[in-house]
Amino acid sequence: MAEGTERRKEILRRLQLTEKPISASRFAQDLGVSRQIIVGDVALLRAAGEEIIATARGYKLNQAADYRGYTKKIAVQHDADQTQAELETIVANGGEVIDVIVEHELYGELAGGLHIKTQKDVEDFMAAYRKSSAGLLSKLTNGIHLHTIRYQNAADLERITQALADKGILYRQ
């Protein structure tokens, strides 16, 4: 077998052994290749049908099918300073933030996977955001964006939306 094939098997094996995201840089360091090689390997694995998702903290296998619950898109608007409060509010009220979606004038809908389920996930995302030079997608739309959230029952959804409304984050025209 070719070196690339073995490397991709190892990437998949490691992702199967953990629920925590693994960064491309960590894979690159451990496997002795560049980060760009890992990005290409993951693209090939995805093309072969593996459900690998990219989060701000790294790659992980999509285990959404194992989670019982409901999903809904909610519209929110806030500035960058309220990002942590928004994410913490959703998680604290029983939700998972699956993604962020903005409507771009040229490209249409742009989405980024978040997969934030816990307070630790919120802290990790915020640390990655502060460390990076990248801006939030919502910067493109004056703070207006959608989140797909996953929740267990209608009471969770009601708590989430009410708490966001109370903080002035839930988008209302």
Side-chain angles (χ1 to χ4, degrees):
M1 262 185 221
E3 183 179 316
T5 302
E6 291 298 321
R7 190 176 54 247
R8 287 185 289 280
K9 282 183 180 180
E10 180 62 14
I11 290 169
L12 191 56
R13 185 187 73 77
R14 288 183 185 196
L15 291 173
Q16 290 168 337
L17 292 175
T18 184
E19 290 184 22
K20 294 183 179 182
I22 304 171
S23 71
S25 298
R26 167 57 45 195
F27 276 128
Q29 181 180 2
D30 291 352
L31 300 174
V33 295
S34 71
R35 182 184 177 288
Q36 192 57 42
I37 294 291
I38 298 299
V39 170
D41 283 343
V42 170
L44 289 171
L45 287 166
R46 285 175 167 162
E50 297 298 337
E51 293 212 26
I52 299 171
I53 54 178
T55 73
R57 298 164 309 282
Y59 296 114
K60 63 187 261 181
L61 288 179
N62 184 4
Q63 298 169 339
D66 296 335
Y67 188 100
R68 298 191 194 282
Y70 305 93
T71 60
K72 181 171 179 67
K73 285 184 173 43
I74 59 170
V76 293
Q77 182 177 21
H78 60 81
D79 61 24
D81 292 340
Q82 292 175 292
T83 301
Q84 186 163 351
E86 171 204 44
L87 298 173
E88 288 175 342
T89 299
I90 294 169
V91 169
N93 286 286
E96 173 189 355
V97 186
I98 297 173
D99 59 19
V100 58
I101 305 163
V102 297
E103 186 68 30
H104 190 273
E105 182 180 339
L106 180 59
Y107 297 112
E109 193 174 89
L110 299 176
L114 295 176
H115 305 280
I116 296 174
K117 296 180 190 178
T118 66
Q119 176 63 32
K120 174 89 169 80
D121 291 343
V122 172
E123 292 166 8
D124 290 348
F125 175 79
M126 293 307 298
Y129 167 60
R130 289 183 189 110
K131 183 179 174 184
S132 78
S133 59
L136 298 170
L137 280 178
S138 60
K139 184 178 182 181
L140 299 172
T141 56
N142 196 30
I144 299 171
H145 55 287
L146 301 175
H147 284 298
T148 306
I149 59 169
R150 182 172 288 125
Y151 56 96
Q152 284 287 75
N153 55 54
D156 289 345
L157 178 61
E158 178 61 30
R159 274 194 320 276
I160 291 165
T161 56
Q162 186 61 56
L164 290 171
D166 291 347
K167 292 180 187 283
I169 293 173
L170 193 67
Y171 182 68
R172 306 245 193 234
Q173 286 189 337

